[in-house]
Amino acid sequence: MMRTRPLKVALLGCGVVGSEVARIMTTHADDLAARIGAPVELAGVAVRRPSKVRAGIDPALVTTDATALVKRGDIDVVVEVIGGIEPARTLITTALEHGASVVSANKALLAQDGAALHAAAEEHGRDLYYEAAVAGAIPLIRPLRESLAGDKVNRVLGIVNGTTNFILDKMDSTGAGYQEALDEATALGYAEADPTADVEGFDAAAKAAILAGIAFHTRVHLDDVHREGMTEVTASDFRSAREMGCTIKLLAICERAKDGASVTARVHPAMIPLSHPLASVRGAYNAVFVESDAAGQLMFYGPGAGGAPTASAVLGDLVAVCRNRLGGATGPGESAYAALPVSPMGDVVTRYHISLDVADKPGVLAQVATVFAEHGVSIDTVRQQGKDGEASLVVVTHRASDASLTGTVEALRKLDTVRGVASIMRVEGE
C-alpha cells in the first residue's frame, strides 16, 4: 500500500544536472512514487542566481539560503549537485545533522573528505549515496559496493573522463595534435573553458580515489593517487602506439598488490593493446574494467557525463534512499575494514615505451642497453631509425618498477650520445 504523505526533497544546485533532476522528478512523478512506495515532492531548490528562469520549477521553491533549506527539519533527502568543496561540505554535514539523508554527485569532495562525511552519516543514522560522482550514468558504485561485496576485487582499470577520451580519440582517428583536438572538444561543449581539471587528470584522480576505496575496503584519499595529465601526448606518440598495435588512453588504475598487502591508485596516459576492450571506447564515453577473483572480468560502459545521464544516476540513488527512509533502515555505509596501505608510485610495476633522440653512430645501442641492465630493467624490443647523424631509438621494456625506470632515464640523460628523451609512456592492459 502506498503512503500518501510525500517524502520531501531539497535540491542544492540547479545547473545542467540539477535542472535535469528536477525535470525527471516532475515528469516521472507517478513512476517514482510507484517504485518508492510514496510520492516524492521537490520542497526547495537552492541556487546562486534566483532571477534566472528555470522551466518547470515553481519560483516559490527557489531560494539563495541553502543553509536554511537543509536545516528545515522536514526534509527527507538532500540532493547536492553544486560541486566543489565548500559550501558543499558544510551543507551536507548540516543536512545529516538535521535528519536528512544525502545524495551527492560531488567527486572532489568525496575524494577529499569521504571518510568524514561517511562518519557523519553513520553518527546520525542517515544514508550517503553518490553513484553519480563517478562515470555519470554508468552503474558502478553500487555494483562495487553491493553486487561484488562477496568477491575480492583485484583491479579497477578505466576511462573515467569523457573530455580526455574525446581528445585522445580525435588525435588517434584523425592525426590531429593535442591543441587542435582540444579546440574541437571545446567547440562541441565537451571541454570547459578552463579544461585543467580534465586534461591534467584531477577529475579522474578524484574518481580513482573513490573507486579504490570501495573496491579495496580501504580509505584512499585524493593525495594518495598518483596523477599525470595528457597535455604532453603527441601525434608522434600515437604513431608509435599504432606500430605496437596499441592506442593511448588516459586511465585510472586501482590495483591490489599480488601479495594482497597493499594497494595503488594512479591516473596517467598509457598505451593499451587494440585487443583490449577499453581500446574501442570512443568519443566522450567512459568505461571501467573490473577484475575480481570469482566474477572474473567485468566491463561497465556508457556516457560518463552530461545533464540527463548524471541525473539518471542521481535519481537511482534517490529512489534507493527514499526506500530506505520508508523502511526505517539505511543502506551500505563506508567499508574500510581492510585498511591497506597505499603504496607510492615508485613501487608500481608495469611496462614502458621510451623514445630517445640519439646520435646516429656505432655503439649507441650498446651504451643504452648497458644503462637499462645496470638499473635492472629488462628490454623487450628495440627499434632504431637514423638519418644525417641523428637517430630515434624506441625501447619497450618488460615489466619494471617506476622507481627503477626513473633511475634508468636519469642515467640515460647523462650519456653524451643521448640528445634527449622524447617521450615515456606506460603500457597497460596486458
Side-chain angles (χ1 to χ4, degrees):
M1 182 176 179
M2 183 178 295
R3 193 182 82 165
T4 57
R5 183 169 64 84
L7 292 161
K8 294 189 176 182
V9 178
L11 179 61
L12 307 182
C14 198
V16 173
V17 176
S19 59
E20 280 296 309
V21 171
R23 181 189 67 79
I24 295 172
M25 284 184 64
T26 301
T27 58
H28 295 181
D30 291 342
D31 286 338
L32 290 172
R35 294 166 191 170
I36 292 168
V40 286
E41 173 189 319
L42 189 59
V45 182
V47 300
R48 286 184 298 176
R49 296 184 294 276
S51 59
K52 181 179 177 180
V53 176
R54 294 172 173 85
I57 296 178
D58 183 352
L61 298 178
V62 176
T63 178
T64 58
D65 194 344
T67 301
L69 179 59
V70 299
K71 282 183 173 181
R72 273 178 37 175
D74 64 334
I75 300 297
D76 294 289
V77 184
V78 168
V79 174
E80 182 272 311
V81 288
I82 57 177
I85 305 302
E86 288 291 357
R89 173 171 48 197
T90 299
L91 290 171
I92 289 175
T93 303
T94 302
L96 293 167
E97 290 172 349
H98 284 76
S101 289
V102 173
V103 173
S104 176
N106 196 329
K107 54 190 171 287
L109 177 58
L110 288 158
Q112 179 171 306
D113 290 317
L117 295 178
H118 274 294
E122 183 177 1
E123 178 185 355
H124 298 289
R126 293 295 179 253
D127 278 321
L128 173 64
Y129 276 46
Y130 43 90
E131 183 67 63
V134 180
I138 305 172
L140 187 59
I141 300 298
R142 192 171 287 113
L144 283 173
R145 190 161 66 170
E146 300 179 29
S147 303
L148 296 174
D151 205 344
K152 179 183 178 183
V153 176
N154 297 309
R155 194 179 198 217
V156 180
L157 172 76
I159 298 164
V160 295
N161 183 278
T163 300
T164 54
N165 199 59
F166 178 88
I167 293 170
L168 292 173
D169 182 41
K170 185 61 62 173
M171 292 175 70
D172 187 21
S173 60
T174 69
Y178 165 74
Q179 189 60 51
E180 182 183 353
L182 172 60
D183 290 344
E184 182 172 350
T186 304
L188 292 172
Y190 292 128
E192 301 287 345
D194 179 1
T196 302
D198 294 323
V199 300
E200 293 295 351
F202 291 101
D203 175 85
K207 295 169 181 176
I210 295 169
L211 291 174
I214 296 171
F216 306 133
H217 304 279
T218 291
R219 286 179 178 170
V220 179
H221 190 273
L222 179 59
D223 292 341
D224 295 323
V225 182
H226 174 82
R227 177 194 55 79
E228 297 173 26
M230 41 77 72
T231 57
E232 301 301 317
V233 177
T234 66
S236 177
D237 291 326
F238 275 100
R239 287 193 293 272
S240 295
R242 283 192 289 273
E243 289 172 358
M244 290 180 59
C246 293
T247 188
I248 299 172
K249 300 291 186 181
L250 184 75
L251 298 178
I253 306 171
C254 312
E255 291 180 306
R256 187 191 300 269
K258 288 187 177 180
D259 63 5
S262 64
V263 299
T264 58
R266 51 196 165 102
V267 169
H268 54 72
M271 295 182 180
I272 59 172
L274 293 174
S275 59
H276 194 282
L278 291 178
S280 61
V281 178
R282 310 301 297 269
Y285 274 70
N286 284 191
V288 178
F289 203 70
V290 178
E291 300 174 7
S292 68
D293 276 0
Q297 298 180 332
L298 307 170
M299 183 164 150
F300 302 84
Y301 169 85
T310 305
S312 171
V314 170
L315 267 295
D317 278 351
L318 179 63
V319 168
V321 168
C322 286
R323 286 172 174 169
N324 291 343
R325 190 84 170 188
L326 287 179
T330 55
E334 182 187 35
S335 176
Y337 74 90
L340 296 171
V342 182
S343 297
M345 186 62 188
D347 293 347
V348 171
V349 175
T350 188
R351 296 179 67 204
Y352 288 86
H353 177 282
I354 305 103
S355 180
L356 305 172
D357 294 327
V358 299
D360 187 16
K361 63 182 184 180
V364 173
L365 179 56
Q367 285 184 323
V368 169
T370 297
V371 170
F372 275 87
E374 288 174 346
H375 288 81
V377 179
S378 175
I379 294 176
D380 182 17
T381 62
V382 178
R383 185 174 70 256
Q384 184 173 3
Q385 294 178 327
K387 184 178 181 182
D388 299 329
E390 299 295 327
S392 172
L393 188 66
V394 176
V395 178
V396 179
T397 74
H398 288 289
R399 292 176 66 82
S401 72
D402 188 81
S404 63
L405 196 284
T406 299
T408 302
V409 172
E410 289 175 355
L412 288 171
R413 294 183 192 276
K414 296 177 182 178
L415 294 178
D416 292 339
T417 52
V418 175
R419 310 298 193 213
V421 180
S423 70
I424 304 171
M425 192 166 295
R426 298 172 184 86
V427 182
E428 301 285 350
E430 296 184 325

